[in-house]
Amino acid sequence: MNVLYRTGAVAIAIAAIGVGTSLPALADPAPQPAGGLTIMSGSSTQSRGGLTCHNQWFNTLGKTSCTGSGSQKWRLKLTCQFQSDIYGNWQYGPGSDQNECSIRISGASINWG
C-alpha cells in the first residue's frame, strides 16, 4: 500500500507539472540567499571635480567606487538606523571605500571636501 501511494503521488506530481500546475508540498523550498534576506538596499551616483562615485548599500554594508581623473577630496558617509552615521577617511581622486553599520543601513553617499 505504501509503495502504491508513493507511485500515485509521483504520478500526480508529474501530471500536475506537465500541465503547468505546481505542488508546493512536494517541492523543495526555495533556497535563502546567503546572509539572510535583504532588508535595505539601493544605489546612487554622485559627481564632482572630475570624479564619479557609484554608491551601493545592502543590509548593513555600504560602499563606493570613485573613478575619473580629478583630485577632488571625498569621503564615504553611511546613514545607519538606530546609530550615528559613519564617516570614512578623507581621500583624494579615484578610489574606493566601504564600511558597515551595526544593525541596518539606510543609505551611502559621498561627502565632498
Side-chain angles (χ1 to χ4, degrees):
M1 182 77 175
N2 204 5
V3 173
L4 271 169
Y5 176 75
R6 286 185 191 169
T7 305
V10 171
I12 292 169
I14 291 170
I17 293 169
V19 296
T21 305
S22 65
L23 295 175
L26 297 176
D28 289 333
Q32 295 295 322
L37 297 175
T38 299
I39 298 169
M40 300 286 291
S41 66
S43 64
S44 65
T45 301
Q46 296 173 258
S47 296
R48 182 183 276 184
L51 290 181
T52 299
C53 300
H54 302 282
N55 312 313
Q56 295 179 304
W57 58 95
F58 316 91
N59 294 336
T60 59
L61 177 70
K63 61 184 181 176
T64 192
S65 176
C66 298
T67 58
S69 58
S71 59
Q72 176 69 42
K73 183 178 178 181
W74 61 274
R75 68 179 175 175
L76 177 63
K77 174 189 174 189
L78 302 185
T79 304
C80 303
Q81 293 184 357
F82 311 114
Q83 76 180 84
S84 300
D85 294 343
I86 297 173
Y87 294 88
N89 295 324
W90 286 107
Q91 299 190 42
Y92 295 87
S96 61
D97 196 9
Q98 71 178 31
N99 215 324
E100 195 162 4
C101 297
S102 298
I103 298 174
R104 214 178 276 166
I105 189 169
S106 298
S109 61
I110 295 297
N111 276 40
W112 302 106

